[in-house]
Structures are given as structure tokens and as C-alpha cells.
Amino acid sequence: MPNYDVLCIGNAIVDIIAQCDEAFLETNGIIKGAMNLIDTRRAELLYSRMGPAIEASGGSAGNTAAGVASFGGRAAFFGKVSNDTLGEIYAHDMHAQGVAFDTRPLNGEPPTARSMIFVTPDGERSMNTYLGACVELGPEDVEADKASGAAVTYFEGYLWDPPRAKEAFRQTAKLAHAAGRQVSMTLSDSFCVDRYRDEFLDLMRSGTVDIVFANSHEIKSLYQTASFDEALAQIRRDCKIAAVTRSEKGSVIVRGDETVTINATKIRELVDTTGAGDLYAAGFLYGYTQGRSLKHCGDLGSLAAGLVIQQIGPRPRQNLRHEAEQAGLL
């Protein structure tokens, strides 16, 4: 039996979230809806121009780990913070969620990563990320017992930006597969896909990755097509399972010749889309590691995503297990 349901590997980032209007994005040269990598100088400039903000531990895979734990799953996380105030906040938040997070912090520079996230009135988030200590995550941070002891290892495509993190992932994936476990990834962002298209396709086609999460923009970018149906047909051939989210249209899950359509959860108000894909993956992977059907996995993912977009911040404030029980899903 695995010691953990899901091991997540990703950039450990503290999110600094503020609301803004469309003009602010234009004035500051921010690409709407994307994750923009920035340096220290740009980080300081944008921070100085932000309105009132909320600080929350984030990072794509970290959000997924927190979501799995909220469902009652056993979650672990590999990610690098620095030995500073934001690093202590991040570690505290992970432990408080019930996530096993034991990666040794970095002593000194660079500081813990932070992402300045600007949310426009339509709920869309535009991220400006300074990776800081994240770039120091490497093979020496791989804990073999967790890598071989998790039913599914999950990593974020953003991890491909810091070069040594790729080595850490490949090492973890090798240990996971050697132990008969499965490996999953999220494509993260269409601009991220543009940077690493060939490498992502190779991870899928080589069997390094078994399960892929994406949204409709990301898979169209992956296959360089404007047709969602064409992209879906291609990803069906390239990986064992693909779960593709489509915002208010719900999601589609494909496995071989099987196709499962999932409805979006009805919401009262769209507040902030930050973390929607991360929490969808959390619900899906929780269900998957409990042996549920693909339909059930998708419904759990849809529920978690629907809840998180009705609040500011990327981690669920409700207990997801309780919410799933109320919805008749557990």
C-alpha cells in the first residue's frame, strides 16, 4: 500500500493578490491571463504599484497538495523556500493543511518566491512571478521514500522554468515508476507550453507521464491548432489519461476510446480564477487514488474548482471532504 495518495512537486510561491482594472494591466505591460516571469527589479516595481493585497501560500502544485489534503487524502510536497519570513509562512501553511512538506529550506539568497497576481473585474488572474528560491530545487531534494511511496506523483509544467528542477522531477518519476506508481503533470499555462512544447510531448509519448491535466487553451497550444476537437484527438493518442478543463463548459476526460464529459459546478459569483485548475487536479487525483470512476473523479475536480473560484486566493477555505459529502460525492 502507498504511504501517500499524491506527491506534488512544484514551485513554492507566496501569492500576493490584488484587484485591478484592465487599464492597470495595459499601463504596466502585463499579459492578461498569463504567468509572466519577472526579475527582482520588476517585482519591486509592481509591488510598489499594487493596491491593497492579500498574501496567501500558493504555487500550482502546492495548491493541489493542499486540495488533496482537504479532501482527506494523504498528500506530500517537494518545493524550495528560503529560510526567511515568507518561507516560514509557506511551510506553516502546508503543515497546517496536513501536507507532508520536509524539503530543506535554503539558507540565505535568493529569497522565497512570490507572485504578484492582479485580478480584473471578470475574475481573470494575471500572474507576475519572481521564482527566487524555487530555482534551487534539485535532485538532492528528492526524498526517495516519498517518491516511491506515493500512488501518484504530480508536477506542474512551470517546474520546467528552473533547470535543476527538471532533474529532480525525472529522478522522482524514475523512482515512482520503479515502484509501480503513476506520474501526472499539468501543462500549467499556454505560454509555458510554447516554451517547452517538444519536451512536454516527449514526456507524454515516452511514458514518463501517465496522466495529463490541461485547459482548452493549453492543449490547442500544445498541438498548435485552433481546433479543440483536433487537439483532444491528438492528446488521446499521446497519453493514457487526459483531463481537459473548459471553464464554464466543464471538462472532458479521455482514456483510450473512452470519453467522459463533466459539467461545471454551478456558482453564485466568479470572484478569482486563481487555483481553479490546481483544485480540479486535486479533486480528480483524490478520486483516482481512491479507485473511483473517471466520472466520479471529474465531478470531484469540478466541485473543488467551482468552490475556489468564488473566493480570493488559490486554496480552499471550506473543508472539501465536507463539501463533497454534502454534494453526495463521498
Side-chain angles (χ1 to χ4, degrees), residues 12 80-82 84 106 108-113 130-137:
K80 202 75 166 175
V81 296
S82 195
D84 55 18
L106 189 68
E109 297 292 323
T112 296
Y130 167 61
L131 287 175
C134 287
V135 301
E136 301 299 327
L137 181 73

Side-chain angles (χ1 to χ4, degrees), residues 3-252:
N3 298 321
Y4 298 96
D5 295 312
V6 185
L7 164 64
C8 298
I9 313 174
N11 293 324
I13 300 171
V14 176
D15 291 337
I16 304 169
I17 307 164
Q19 293 175 308
C20 75
D21 56 20
E22 302 281 347
F24 181 91
L25 300 183
E26 290 176 27
T27 303
N28 289 282
I30 296 167
I31 301 172
K32 184 176 178 179
M35 191 281 282
N36 310 279
L37 288 175
I38 58 174
D39 58 18
T40 315
R41 199 167 158 188
R42 173 87 168 147
E44 289 171 355
L45 175 70
L46 290 178
Y47 186 70
S48 71
R49 294 179 176 177
M50 284 185 104
I54 292 169
E55 288 185 3
S57 294
S60 176
N63 297 336
T64 299
V68 170
S70 185
F71 272 109
R74 297 162 298 165
F77 178 69
F78 294 167
K80 202 75 166 175
V81 296
S82 195
N83 197 8
D84 55 18
T85 303
L86 286 183
E88 288 171 8
I89 289 169
Y90 193 92
H92 171 269
D93 287 353
M94 292 301 273
H95 295 146
Q97 289 274 1
V99 176
F101 174 42
D102 304 302
T103 308
R104 186 176 299 174
L106 189 68
N107 277 318
E109 297 292 323
T112 296
R114 68 286 316 264
S115 182
M116 275 145 290
I117 302 176
F118 296 95
V119 182
T120 39
D122 59 359
E124 185 63 87
R125 83 283 185 273
S126 305
M127 299 179 285
N128 302 268
T129 305
Y130 167 61
L131 287 175
C134 287
V135 301
E136 301 299 327
L137 181 73
E140 69 279 5
D141 294 308
V142 174
E143 299 161 59
D145 59 332
K146 291 187 176 75
S148 59
V152 178
T153 290
Y154 170 88
F155 83 97
E156 60 187 70
Y158 291 136
L159 205 65
W160 243 236
D161 285 313
R164 294 179 69 248
K166 293 183 189 183
E167 298 173 47
F169 162 70
R170 289 188 186 280
Q171 185 175 321
T172 306
K174 195 175 289 185
L175 289 165
H177 278 145
R181 314 301 190 189
Q182 290 188 286
V183 176
S184 62
M185 73 174 287
T186 171
L187 297 184
S188 291
D189 181 287
S190 55
F191 291 90
C192 185
V193 173
D194 286 339
R195 293 195 289 275
Y196 304 111
R197 180 177 293 106
D198 291 343
E199 291 178 71
F200 286 175
L201 285 169
D202 180 64
L203 287 171
M204 293 158 55
R205 290 167 178 168
S206 67
T208 304
V209 167
D210 305 293
I211 305 168
V212 175
F213 294 90
N215 64 30
S216 55
H217 302 297
E218 291 155 7
I219 65 161
K220 287 190 284 188
S221 171
L222 184 67
Y223 294 106
Q224 296 178 284
T225 175
S227 166
F228 174 77
D229 291 337
E230 185 182 323
L232 193 68
Q234 292 207 56
I235 204 168
R236 187 194 295 273
R237 290 194 294 268
D238 282 342
C239 63
K240 292 172 186 169
I241 299 174
V244 186
T245 57
R246 307 186 73 189
S247 301
E248 70 279 0
K249 293 180 182 175
S251 60
V252 180

